[in-house]
Structures are given as C-alpha cells and as structure tokens.
Amino acid sequence: MRKKDFYKRNKSLIIISIIFIIFVVVGSYLNKIDSSNLDNISNQIRKISSYYDGNINKKDFIFTNIKEYIRYLGLIGICSLFFFTYPIAIIVFILKAISIGYTINTSIILLGFSSFKMCMIVFLKNIIIVPMSIILIELSIGYIKSVYKQLKKKRQDSIVSLGKEFVLNLLIIMCASIILQSILNIISITIIQFLAR
C-alpha cells in the first residue's frame, strides 16, 4: 500500500511539474501576442539586472524577495484551506509559471545575447521556490480530497485535524524554502556582482 502511495504521489508531482512547464511555455509566447507593454517590461528588467551589478543594497533585495516568496507560497497555502478559494491557489501557481516564461522570453527579445545573465537571475531566484510550490500544490490536492471524503462522512473533527496538519506542512515548506532560497540568493548575488566588476 505504501509503495502504491509513493508511486501515486510521484506521478502527481510529475503531472503538476509538466503543467507548470506548459504554462512557462505559454508565458514565453505572450509578448509575441501583445508587444505593447515591452517598454515597461524593459525598464523592470534593467532595474532587476542592476541589483546584480552592485548598484542596489543587497539586504533590501533579499528582503524584497522574501516578501515575494511569503506572498506566493502563503497565498497558495491559505487559498488551499477552503473549497471556494482553492481555484485561486491554482491561478496563483499558473500565473507564476506564466510570469517566469514571459520574463525570460522578454529578456531574450530585448537584451539579445546579453540576456544570459537575466535568465540566470530568474532561474536562481526560483530554483527552490518553484519545486517547493509544486510539492505544496500536490499536498493541497491531497488535503482537498481528504476534506471532501470527511465532509461526505460528516466528520468535522477529522476536518479540523486535517486542516492543522496541512497548516503545519505549509509552515515547514514555507520556512525551509524561504531560508534555502535566501541563502542561494545571497551566494548568487555575491558571485554575479563579483564577476560584474
């Protein structure tokens, strides 16, 4: 039974990962459909790139990223607690994939060969957060299914304990991913700023 659960969980993680990649690809095609916003995006890309050139305070950048990670993972987790808000968690997850694809493709269009640094920044900035959010989505699907089964059996006590377990898992995932991603950000900023000298 445990082996079956292990394979089932792995299968759902692979499916969620494929869905994420599909929306990254969708995001990369958006600027080809609508190129009217490229000037604004260009300014944002140059601003982000300047963080890594040593022009902006490293500490401010780290704290800005931490807030962004808390908002992203927190929204997925909180919205996953209830049936009526669960679609919002899925939308937040999909929008993250679209924004990654859009940013990378826009960087390539605007910066050409010099976009490599920007693509690396996007990759390093999400290398831990994205896999953790995939795990969180998989956990939330399992949680929603379990809650639905308990609702059918009219076991409210079980729903409360399931909710507590999910919140605990959410906090562990958030803390672990934010700490690891922040450490990686500090290392990557230091290396890229050193190479940019």
Short mmCIF file of all heavy atoms in Angstrom, two decimals, residues 65-130:
data_model
loop_
_atom_site.label_atom_id
_atom_site.label_comp_id
_atom_site.label_asym_id
_atom_site.label_seq_id
_atom_site.Cartn_x
_atom_site.Cartn_y
_atom_site.Cartn_z
N ASN A 65 12.72 39.97 -1.92
CA ASN A 65 12.47 38.61 -2.40
C ASN A 65 11.75 37.76 -1.36
O ASN A 65 10.84 37.00 -1.70
CB ASN A 65 13.78 37.91 -2.80
CG ASN A 65 14.25 38.35 -4.16
OD1 ASN A 65 13.47 38.73 -5.01
ND2 ASN A 65 15.55 38.29 -4.39
N ILE A 66 12.14 37.90 -0.09
CA ILE A 66 11.49 37.14 0.99
C ILE A 66 10.00 37.48 1.05
O ILE A 66 9.16 36.59 1.16
CB ILE A 66 12.19 37.39 2.35
CG1 ILE A 66 13.55 36.68 2.37
CG2 ILE A 66 11.32 36.91 3.52
CD1 ILE A 66 14.44 37.03 3.54
N LYS A 67 9.67 38.78 0.94
CA LYS A 67 8.25 39.20 0.93
C LYS A 67 7.51 38.57 -0.24
O LYS A 67 6.37 38.13 -0.11
CB LYS A 67 8.16 40.73 0.84
CG LYS A 67 8.47 41.45 2.14
CD LYS A 67 8.39 42.95 1.92
CE LYS A 67 9.02 43.72 3.06
NZ LYS A 67 9.12 45.16 2.78
N GLU A 68 8.17 38.55 -1.40
CA GLU A 68 7.58 37.97 -2.61
C GLU A 68 7.31 36.48 -2.42
O GLU A 68 6.24 35.97 -2.78
CB GLU A 68 8.53 38.19 -3.79
CG GLU A 68 8.00 37.72 -5.13
CD GLU A 68 9.06 37.75 -6.21
OE1 GLU A 68 9.76 38.78 -6.34
OE2 GLU A 68 9.20 36.73 -6.91
N TYR A 69 8.28 35.76 -1.82
CA TYR A 69 8.13 34.32 -1.59
C TYR A 69 7.01 34.03 -0.58
O TYR A 69 6.25 33.09 -0.77
CB TYR A 69 9.45 33.71 -1.09
CG TYR A 69 10.62 33.89 -2.01
CD1 TYR A 69 11.91 34.11 -1.51
CD2 TYR A 69 10.47 33.85 -3.38
CE1 TYR A 69 13.00 34.27 -2.35
CE2 TYR A 69 11.55 34.01 -4.24
CZ TYR A 69 12.82 34.23 -3.71
OH TYR A 69 13.89 34.40 -4.55
N ILE A 70 6.95 34.84 0.49
CA ILE A 70 5.89 34.67 1.50
C ILE A 70 4.53 34.88 0.87
O ILE A 70 3.59 34.12 1.12
CB ILE A 70 6.12 35.61 2.71
CG1 ILE A 70 7.35 35.16 3.52
CG2 ILE A 70 4.88 35.65 3.62
CD1 ILE A 70 7.82 36.15 4.56
N ARG A 71 4.41 35.93 0.04
CA ARG A 71 3.13 36.20 -0.64
C ARG A 71 2.72 35.04 -1.55
O ARG A 71 1.58 34.60 -1.52
CB ARG A 71 3.23 37.49 -1.48
CG ARG A 71 2.82 38.75 -0.73
CD ARG A 71 2.50 39.89 -1.68
NE ARG A 71 3.60 40.18 -2.59
CZ ARG A 71 4.55 41.08 -2.35
NH1 ARG A 71 4.55 41.76 -1.21
NH2 ARG A 71 5.52 41.29 -3.22
N TYR A 72 3.69 34.56 -2.33
CA TYR A 72 3.41 33.49 -3.30
C TYR A 72 3.02 32.18 -2.61
O TYR A 72 1.92 31.65 -2.85
CB TYR A 72 4.64 33.30 -4.20
CG TYR A 72 4.56 32.11 -5.11
CD1 TYR A 72 3.53 31.97 -6.04
CD2 TYR A 72 5.52 31.10 -5.06
CE1 TYR A 72 3.47 30.87 -6.89
CE2 TYR A 72 5.46 30.00 -5.91
CZ TYR A 72 4.44 29.89 -6.81
OH TYR A 72 4.37 28.80 -7.64
N LEU A 73 3.88 31.66 -1.73
CA LEU A 73 3.61 30.40 -1.06
C LEU A 73 2.45 30.53 -0.06
O LEU A 73 1.63 29.62 0.05
CB LEU A 73 4.86 29.88 -0.34
CG LEU A 73 6.05 29.50 -1.23
CD1 LEU A 73 7.26 29.17 -0.38
CD2 LEU A 73 5.71 28.33 -2.15
N GLY A 74 2.39 31.68 0.62
CA GLY A 74 1.31 31.92 1.58
C GLY A 74 -0.06 31.95 0.92
O GLY A 74 -1.02 31.37 1.44
N LEU A 75 -0.15 32.62 -0.23
CA LEU A 75 -1.42 32.66 -0.98
C LEU A 75 -1.87 31.28 -1.40
O LEU A 75 -3.04 30.93 -1.26
CB LEU A 75 -1.27 33.55 -2.22
CG LEU A 75 -1.91 34.94 -2.17
CD1 LEU A 75 -1.57 35.71 -3.42
CD2 LEU A 75 -3.41 34.87 -2.00
N ILE A 76 -0.92 30.48 -1.91
CA ILE A 76 -1.26 29.11 -2.32
C ILE A 76 -1.77 28.32 -1.11
O ILE A 76 -2.81 27.65 -1.18
CB ILE A 76 -0.05 28.39 -2.96
CG1 ILE A 76 0.27 29.00 -4.34
CG2 ILE A 76 -0.31 26.88 -3.11
CD1 ILE A 76 1.54 28.47 -4.98
N GLY A 77 -1.04 28.42 -0.01
CA GLY A 77 -1.41 27.68 1.20
C GLY A 77 -2.74 28.10 1.80
O GLY A 77 -3.61 27.26 2.06
N ILE A 78 -2.93 29.40 1.99
CA ILE A 78 -4.16 29.92 2.61
C ILE A 78 -5.38 29.63 1.73
O ILE A 78 -6.42 29.21 2.22
CB ILE A 78 -4.03 31.43 2.92
CG1 ILE A 78 -3.01 31.64 4.06
CG2 ILE A 78 -5.38 32.03 3.32
CD1 ILE A 78 -2.50 33.04 4.20
N CYS A 79 -5.23 29.85 0.42
CA CYS A 79 -6.34 29.60 -0.51
C CYS A 79 -6.68 28.12 -0.64
O CYS A 79 -7.79 27.76 -1.01
CB CYS A 79 -6.05 30.19 -1.88
SG CYS A 79 -5.98 31.99 -1.89
N SER A 80 -5.70 27.26 -0.32
CA SER A 80 -5.93 25.81 -0.40
C SER A 80 -6.74 25.27 0.78
O SER A 80 -7.21 24.14 0.75
CB SER A 80 -4.59 25.06 -0.45
OG SER A 80 -3.88 25.40 -1.61
N LEU A 81 -6.90 26.09 1.82
CA LEU A 81 -7.62 25.64 3.03
C LEU A 81 -9.11 25.44 2.81
O LEU A 81 -9.74 24.65 3.50
CB LEU A 81 -7.40 26.62 4.18
CG LEU A 81 -6.05 26.55 4.89
CD1 LEU A 81 -5.86 27.73 5.82
CD2 LEU A 81 -5.90 25.24 5.67
N PHE A 82 -9.68 26.16 1.84
CA PHE A 82 -11.14 26.12 1.62
C PHE A 82 -11.46 25.77 0.17
O PHE A 82 -10.74 26.17 -0.74
CB PHE A 82 -11.76 27.47 1.99
CG PHE A 82 -11.35 27.97 3.34
CD1 PHE A 82 -10.37 28.95 3.46
CD2 PHE A 82 -11.89 27.45 4.51
CE1 PHE A 82 -9.96 29.41 4.70
CE2 PHE A 82 -11.50 27.91 5.75
CZ PHE A 82 -10.52 28.89 5.85
N PHE A 83 -12.57 25.07 -0.02
CA PHE A 83 -13.00 24.67 -1.36
C PHE A 83 -13.22 25.86 -2.28
O PHE A 83 -12.78 25.86 -3.42
CB PHE A 83 -14.32 23.86 -1.30
CG PHE A 83 -14.12 22.43 -0.91
CD1 PHE A 83 -14.47 21.98 0.35
CD2 PHE A 83 -13.57 21.53 -1.81
CE1 PHE A 83 -14.28 20.65 0.70
CE2 PHE A 83 -13.38 20.19 -1.46
CZ PHE A 83 -13.74 19.76 -0.20
N PHE A 84 -13.91 26.89 -1.77
CA PHE A 84 -14.28 28.04 -2.61
C PHE A 84 -13.11 28.93 -2.98
O PHE A 84 -13.18 29.69 -3.94
CB PHE A 84 -15.41 28.85 -1.97
CG PHE A 84 -15.09 29.39 -0.60
CD1 PHE A 84 -14.53 30.64 -0.43
CD2 PHE A 84 -15.38 28.63 0.53
CE1 PHE A 84 -14.23 31.14 0.82
CE2 PHE A 84 -15.09 29.12 1.81
CZ PHE A 84 -14.51 30.37 1.96
N THR A 85 -12.00 28.84 -2.22
CA THR A 85 -10.81 29.65 -2.56
C THR A 85 -9.72 28.82 -3.25
O THR A 85 -8.73 29.39 -3.73
CB THR A 85 -10.20 30.30 -1.29
OG1 THR A 85 -9.91 29.28 -0.34
CG2 THR A 85 -11.14 31.33 -0.70
N TYR A 86 -9.91 27.51 -3.32
CA TYR A 86 -8.88 26.64 -3.91
C TYR A 86 -8.53 27.01 -5.36
O TYR A 86 -7.34 27.00 -5.71
CB TYR A 86 -9.28 25.17 -3.82
CG TYR A 86 -8.16 24.25 -4.23
CD1 TYR A 86 -7.03 24.11 -3.42
CD2 TYR A 86 -8.20 23.56 -5.43
CE1 TYR A 86 -5.98 23.30 -3.80
CE2 TYR A 86 -7.15 22.74 -5.81
CZ TYR A 86 -6.05 22.61 -4.99
OH TYR A 86 -5.00 21.81 -5.38
N PRO A 87 -9.50 27.36 -6.21
CA PRO A 87 -9.14 27.78 -7.58
C PRO A 87 -8.16 28.96 -7.62
O PRO A 87 -7.34 29.04 -8.54
CB PRO A 87 -10.49 28.17 -8.20
CG PRO A 87 -11.49 27.39 -7.43
CD PRO A 87 -10.95 27.32 -6.03
N ILE A 88 -8.21 29.85 -6.61
CA ILE A 88 -7.29 30.99 -6.55
C ILE A 88 -5.85 30.48 -6.39
O ILE A 88 -4.92 31.01 -6.99
CB ILE A 88 -7.66 31.97 -5.41
CG1 ILE A 88 -9.06 32.55 -5.65
CG2 ILE A 88 -6.63 33.09 -5.28
CD1 ILE A 88 -9.65 33.31 -4.47
N ALA A 89 -5.66 29.43 -5.56
CA ALA A 89 -4.33 28.83 -5.36
C ALA A 89 -3.77 28.31 -6.67
O ALA A 89 -2.59 28.53 -6.99
CB ALA A 89 -4.42 27.70 -4.34
N ILE A 90 -4.63 27.67 -7.46
CA ILE A 90 -4.21 27.13 -8.76
C ILE A 90 -3.85 28.28 -9.72
O ILE A 90 -2.86 28.22 -10.44
CB ILE A 90 -5.31 26.23 -9.38
CG1 ILE A 90 -5.63 25.04 -8.45
CG2 ILE A 90 -4.92 25.75 -10.77
CD1 ILE A 90 -4.49 24.09 -8.17
N ILE A 91 -4.66 29.35 -9.69
CA ILE A 91 -4.42 30.53 -10.55
C ILE A 91 -3.08 31.18 -10.20
O ILE A 91 -2.30 31.53 -11.08
CB ILE A 91 -5.59 31.54 -10.46
CG1 ILE A 91 -6.84 30.96 -11.14
CG2 ILE A 91 -5.22 32.88 -11.09
CD1 ILE A 91 -8.13 31.67 -10.81
N VAL A 92 -2.80 31.33 -8.89
CA VAL A 92 -1.53 31.92 -8.43
C VAL A 92 -0.35 31.08 -8.92
O VAL A 92 0.64 31.61 -9.42
CB VAL A 92 -1.51 32.03 -6.87
CG1 VAL A 92 -0.12 32.38 -6.35
CG2 VAL A 92 -2.52 33.07 -6.40
N PHE A 93 -0.47 29.77 -8.83
CA PHE A 93 0.56 28.83 -9.29
C PHE A 93 0.79 28.96 -10.79
O PHE A 93 1.93 29.05 -11.25
CB PHE A 93 0.11 27.41 -8.93
CG PHE A 93 1.06 26.32 -9.35
CD1 PHE A 93 2.27 26.15 -8.69
CD2 PHE A 93 0.73 25.45 -10.38
CE1 PHE A 93 3.15 25.13 -9.08
CE2 PHE A 93 1.60 24.44 -10.77
CZ PHE A 93 2.81 24.28 -10.11
N ILE A 94 -0.30 29.03 -11.56
CA ILE A 94 -0.21 29.16 -13.02
C ILE A 94 0.38 30.51 -13.42
O ILE A 94 1.23 30.58 -14.32
CB ILE A 94 -1.61 28.94 -13.66
CG1 ILE A 94 -1.98 27.46 -13.59
CG2 ILE A 94 -1.65 29.44 -15.11
CD1 ILE A 94 -3.43 27.15 -13.92
N LEU A 95 -0.03 31.57 -12.73
CA LEU A 95 0.49 32.92 -13.03
C LEU A 95 2.00 33.01 -12.79
O LEU A 95 2.71 33.72 -13.51
CB LEU A 95 -0.24 33.98 -12.21
CG LEU A 95 -1.66 34.32 -12.64
CD1 LEU A 95 -2.32 35.28 -11.67
CD2 LEU A 95 -1.69 34.91 -14.06
N LYS A 96 2.48 32.28 -11.78
CA LYS A 96 3.93 32.24 -11.51
C LYS A 96 4.66 31.65 -12.71
O LYS A 96 5.68 32.18 -13.16
CB LYS A 96 4.20 31.41 -10.25
CG LYS A 96 5.67 31.29 -9.87
CD LYS A 96 6.22 32.58 -9.34
CE LYS A 96 7.59 32.42 -8.74
NZ LYS A 96 8.18 33.70 -8.33
N ALA A 97 4.14 30.54 -13.23
CA ALA A 97 4.75 29.89 -14.40
C ALA A 97 4.73 30.82 -15.61
O ALA A 97 5.75 30.95 -16.31
CB ALA A 97 3.99 28.59 -14.72
N ILE A 98 3.60 31.48 -15.84
CA ILE A 98 3.47 32.40 -16.98
C ILE A 98 4.46 33.56 -16.85
O ILE A 98 5.11 33.93 -17.82
CB ILE A 98 2.02 32.91 -17.10
CG1 ILE A 98 1.10 31.76 -17.56
CG2 ILE A 98 1.91 34.09 -18.06
CD1 ILE A 98 -0.38 32.06 -17.49
N SER A 99 4.58 34.10 -15.62
CA SER A 99 5.48 35.25 -15.42
C SER A 99 6.95 34.87 -15.64
O SER A 99 7.72 35.66 -16.17
CB SER A 99 5.29 35.84 -14.01
OG SER A 99 5.82 34.98 -13.03
N ILE A 100 7.33 33.65 -15.26
CA ILE A 100 8.71 33.18 -15.50
C ILE A 100 8.98 33.09 -16.99
O ILE A 100 9.99 33.59 -17.49
CB ILE A 100 8.97 31.83 -14.78
CG1 ILE A 100 9.04 32.04 -13.26
CG2 ILE A 100 10.27 31.18 -15.28
CD1 ILE A 100 9.05 30.76 -12.45
N GLY A 101 8.07 32.44 -17.71
CA GLY A 101 8.22 32.31 -19.17
C GLY A 101 8.24 33.65 -19.87
O GLY A 101 9.07 33.89 -20.75
N TYR A 102 7.36 34.55 -19.44
CA TYR A 102 7.26 35.89 -20.04
C TYR A 102 8.54 36.70 -19.81
O TYR A 102 9.07 37.32 -20.73
CB TYR A 102 6.06 36.62 -19.45
CG TYR A 102 5.75 37.93 -20.12
CD1 TYR A 102 5.04 37.96 -21.31
CD2 TYR A 102 6.15 39.14 -19.56
CE1 TYR A 102 4.74 39.16 -21.95
CE2 TYR A 102 5.85 40.35 -20.19
CZ TYR A 102 5.16 40.35 -21.37
OH TYR A 102 4.87 41.54 -22.00
N THR A 103 9.05 36.66 -18.57
CA THR A 103 10.26 37.42 -18.22
C THR A 103 11.47 36.92 -19.00
O THR A 103 12.24 37.72 -19.55
CB THR A 103 10.54 37.32 -16.70
OG1 THR A 103 9.39 37.74 -15.99
CG2 THR A 103 11.73 38.19 -16.31
N ILE A 104 11.63 35.59 -19.08
CA ILE A 104 12.78 35.02 -19.79
C ILE A 104 12.73 35.38 -21.28
O ILE A 104 13.72 35.85 -21.84
CB ILE A 104 12.85 33.49 -19.58
CG1 ILE A 104 13.27 33.18 -18.15
CG2 ILE A 104 13.82 32.84 -20.57
CD1 ILE A 104 13.15 31.73 -17.74
N ASN A 105 11.57 35.17 -21.90
CA ASN A 105 11.45 35.44 -23.34
C ASN A 105 11.60 36.93 -23.66
O ASN A 105 12.23 37.30 -24.64
CB ASN A 105 10.12 34.91 -23.88
CG ASN A 105 10.16 34.77 -25.40
OD1 ASN A 105 11.17 34.37 -25.97
ND2 ASN A 105 9.08 35.11 -26.04
N THR A 106 11.03 37.80 -22.80
CA THR A 106 11.15 39.25 -22.99
C THR A 106 12.61 39.68 -22.85
O THR A 106 13.08 40.54 -23.61
CB THR A 106 10.26 40.02 -21.98
OG1 THR A 106 8.93 39.52 -22.08
CG2 THR A 106 10.26 41.51 -22.26
N SER A 107 13.32 39.08 -21.89
CA SER A 107 14.75 39.38 -21.71
C SER A 107 15.54 39.04 -22.97
O SER A 107 16.40 39.81 -23.40
CB SER A 107 15.32 38.59 -20.53
OG SER A 107 14.64 38.91 -19.36
N ILE A 108 15.23 37.88 -23.55
CA ILE A 108 15.93 37.44 -24.77
C ILE A 108 15.63 38.40 -25.93
O ILE A 108 16.54 38.80 -26.67
CB ILE A 108 15.53 35.99 -25.13
CG1 ILE A 108 16.08 35.03 -24.06
CG2 ILE A 108 16.05 35.60 -26.52
CD1 ILE A 108 15.47 33.64 -24.08
N ILE A 109 14.36 38.82 -26.06
CA ILE A 109 13.97 39.75 -27.14
C ILE A 109 14.64 41.11 -26.98
O ILE A 109 15.17 41.68 -27.94
CB ILE A 109 12.42 39.91 -27.20
CG1 ILE A 109 11.78 38.61 -27.70
CG2 ILE A 109 12.01 41.08 -28.10
CD1 ILE A 109 10.28 38.54 -27.49
N LEU A 110 14.65 41.63 -25.74
CA LEU A 110 15.15 42.99 -25.50
C LEU A 110 16.67 43.06 -25.38
O LEU A 110 17.28 44.04 -25.80
CB LEU A 110 14.51 43.57 -24.25
CG LEU A 110 13.01 43.85 -24.30
CD1 LEU A 110 12.48 44.20 -22.93
CD2 LEU A 110 12.69 44.98 -25.28
N LEU A 111 17.27 42.03 -24.77
CA LEU A 111 18.70 42.10 -24.47
C LEU A 111 19.57 41.26 -25.39
O LEU A 111 20.79 41.40 -25.36
CB LEU A 111 18.94 41.68 -23.00
CG LEU A 111 18.17 42.46 -21.93
CD1 LEU A 111 18.40 41.84 -20.56
CD2 LEU A 111 18.57 43.93 -21.91
N GLY A 112 18.96 40.38 -26.18
CA GLY A 112 19.74 39.54 -27.10
C GLY A 112 20.69 38.63 -26.37
O GLY A 112 20.31 37.96 -25.41
N PHE A 113 21.98 38.62 -26.79
CA PHE A 113 22.98 37.73 -26.19
C PHE A 113 23.27 38.08 -24.74
O PHE A 113 23.64 37.22 -23.95
CB PHE A 113 24.29 37.76 -27.00
CG PHE A 113 24.17 37.07 -28.32
CD1 PHE A 113 24.24 37.79 -29.51
CD2 PHE A 113 23.98 35.70 -28.39
CE1 PHE A 113 24.12 37.15 -30.74
CE2 PHE A 113 23.87 35.05 -29.61
CZ PHE A 113 23.94 35.77 -30.80
N SER A 114 23.09 39.35 -24.38
CA SER A 114 23.36 39.76 -23.00
C SER A 114 22.24 39.37 -22.04
O SER A 114 22.28 39.70 -20.85
CB SER A 114 23.61 41.27 -22.93
OG SER A 114 22.48 41.97 -23.41
N SER A 115 21.23 38.68 -22.54
CA SER A 115 20.10 38.24 -21.69
C SER A 115 20.47 37.03 -20.83
O SER A 115 19.72 36.66 -19.93
CB SER A 115 18.89 37.87 -22.56
OG SER A 115 19.18 36.74 -23.35
N PHE A 116 21.64 36.42 -21.09
CA PHE A 116 22.04 35.22 -20.35
C PHE A 116 22.04 35.48 -18.84
O PHE A 116 21.56 34.66 -18.06
CB PHE A 116 23.42 34.73 -20.81
CG PHE A 116 23.92 33.55 -20.02
CD1 PHE A 116 23.40 32.28 -20.26
CD2 PHE A 116 24.89 33.71 -19.04
CE1 PHE A 116 23.85 31.18 -19.52
CE2 PHE A 116 25.34 32.62 -18.31
CZ PHE A 116 24.83 31.36 -18.55
N LYS A 117 22.59 36.64 -18.44
CA LYS A 117 22.66 36.98 -17.02
C LYS A 117 21.26 37.08 -16.42
O LYS A 117 20.99 36.56 -15.34
CB LYS A 117 23.42 38.30 -16.81
CG LYS A 117 23.64 38.61 -15.33
CD LYS A 117 24.52 39.81 -15.13
CE LYS A 117 23.77 41.09 -15.35
NZ LYS A 117 24.52 42.29 -14.93
N MET A 118 20.33 37.73 -17.15
CA MET A 118 18.97 37.90 -16.67
C MET A 118 18.26 36.55 -16.54
O MET A 118 17.54 36.31 -15.57
CB MET A 118 18.20 38.81 -17.64
CG MET A 118 16.84 39.23 -17.13
SD MET A 118 16.94 40.17 -15.60
CE MET A 118 15.31 39.87 -14.96
N CYS A 119 18.49 35.66 -17.52
CA CYS A 119 17.88 34.32 -17.47
C CYS A 119 18.41 33.53 -16.27
O CYS A 119 17.66 32.82 -15.61
CB CYS A 119 18.15 33.56 -18.77
SG CYS A 119 17.30 34.29 -20.18
N MET A 120 19.71 33.69 -15.99
CA MET A 120 20.32 33.04 -14.83
C MET A 120 19.73 33.58 -13.53
O MET A 120 19.50 32.82 -12.59
CB MET A 120 21.84 33.24 -14.83
CG MET A 120 22.59 32.29 -15.73
SD MET A 120 22.32 30.54 -15.33
CE MET A 120 23.08 30.42 -13.72
N ILE A 121 19.49 34.90 -13.49
CA ILE A 121 18.89 35.53 -12.31
C ILE A 121 17.51 34.93 -12.04
O ILE A 121 17.19 34.55 -10.92
CB ILE A 121 18.79 37.07 -12.49
CG1 ILE A 121 20.18 37.70 -12.46
CG2 ILE A 121 17.89 37.70 -11.43
CD1 ILE A 121 20.23 39.14 -12.95
N VAL A 122 16.68 34.85 -13.09
CA VAL A 122 15.32 34.29 -12.96
C VAL A 122 15.40 32.83 -12.51
O VAL A 122 14.65 32.41 -11.62
CB VAL A 122 14.54 34.41 -14.30
CG1 VAL A 122 13.21 33.68 -14.23
CG2 VAL A 122 14.32 35.87 -14.66
N PHE A 123 16.33 32.08 -13.11
CA PHE A 123 16.49 30.67 -12.76
C PHE A 123 16.90 30.51 -11.29
O PHE A 123 16.28 29.75 -10.54
CB PHE A 123 17.53 30.02 -13.68
CG PHE A 123 17.85 28.60 -13.33
CD1 PHE A 123 16.95 27.58 -13.62
CD2 PHE A 123 19.06 28.27 -12.72
CE1 PHE A 123 17.24 26.26 -13.30
CE2 PHE A 123 19.35 26.95 -12.39
CZ PHE A 123 18.44 25.95 -12.68
N LEU A 124 17.95 31.23 -10.87
CA LEU A 124 18.45 31.13 -9.50
C LEU A 124 17.45 31.64 -8.47
O LEU A 124 17.37 31.11 -7.36
CB LEU A 124 19.77 31.89 -9.36
CG LEU A 124 20.97 31.29 -10.10
CD1 LEU A 124 22.12 32.26 -10.13
CD2 LEU A 124 21.40 29.97 -9.47
N LYS A 125 16.67 32.65 -8.87
CA LYS A 125 15.68 33.28 -7.97
C LYS A 125 14.50 32.33 -7.69
O LYS A 125 13.77 32.53 -6.72
CB LYS A 125 15.18 34.56 -8.65
CG LYS A 125 14.52 35.54 -7.73
CD LYS A 125 14.30 36.85 -8.47
CE LYS A 125 13.42 37.77 -7.67
NZ LYS A 125 12.11 37.96 -8.19
N ASN A 126 14.31 31.32 -8.55
CA ASN A 126 13.16 30.42 -8.41
C ASN A 126 13.52 28.95 -8.28
O ASN A 126 12.63 28.11 -8.21
CB ASN A 126 12.24 30.60 -9.63
CG ASN A 126 11.61 31.97 -9.68
OD1 ASN A 126 10.73 32.28 -8.90
ND2 ASN A 126 12.08 32.81 -10.58
N ILE A 127 14.81 28.64 -8.23
CA ILE A 127 15.27 27.25 -8.28
C ILE A 127 14.76 26.40 -7.11
O ILE A 127 14.57 25.19 -7.24
CB ILE A 127 16.82 27.19 -8.38
CG1 ILE A 127 17.26 25.79 -8.82
CG2 ILE A 127 17.48 27.62 -7.11
CD1 ILE A 127 18.71 25.67 -9.21
N ILE A 128 14.52 26.99 -5.96
CA ILE A 128 14.00 26.26 -4.80
C ILE A 128 12.50 26.52 -4.62
O ILE A 128 11.73 25.60 -4.34
CB ILE A 128 14.79 26.62 -3.52
CG1 ILE A 128 16.21 26.05 -3.63
CG2 ILE A 128 14.10 26.07 -2.27
CD1 ILE A 128 17.19 26.59 -2.65
N ILE A 129 12.09 27.77 -4.82
CA ILE A 129 10.69 28.16 -4.60
C ILE A 129 9.73 27.40 -5.51
O ILE A 129 8.68 26.94 -5.06
CB ILE A 129 10.52 29.70 -4.78
CG1 ILE A 129 11.24 30.46 -3.66
CG2 ILE A 129 9.06 30.11 -4.86
CD1 ILE A 129 10.71 30.22 -2.25
N VAL A 130 10.08 27.24 -6.78
CA VAL A 130 9.19 26.56 -7.73
C VAL A 130 8.98 25.09 -7.37
O VAL A 130 7.83 24.65 -7.25
CB VAL A 130 9.66 26.75 -9.19
CG1 VAL A 130 8.94 25.80 -10.13
CG2 VAL A 130 9.42 28.19 -9.63
#
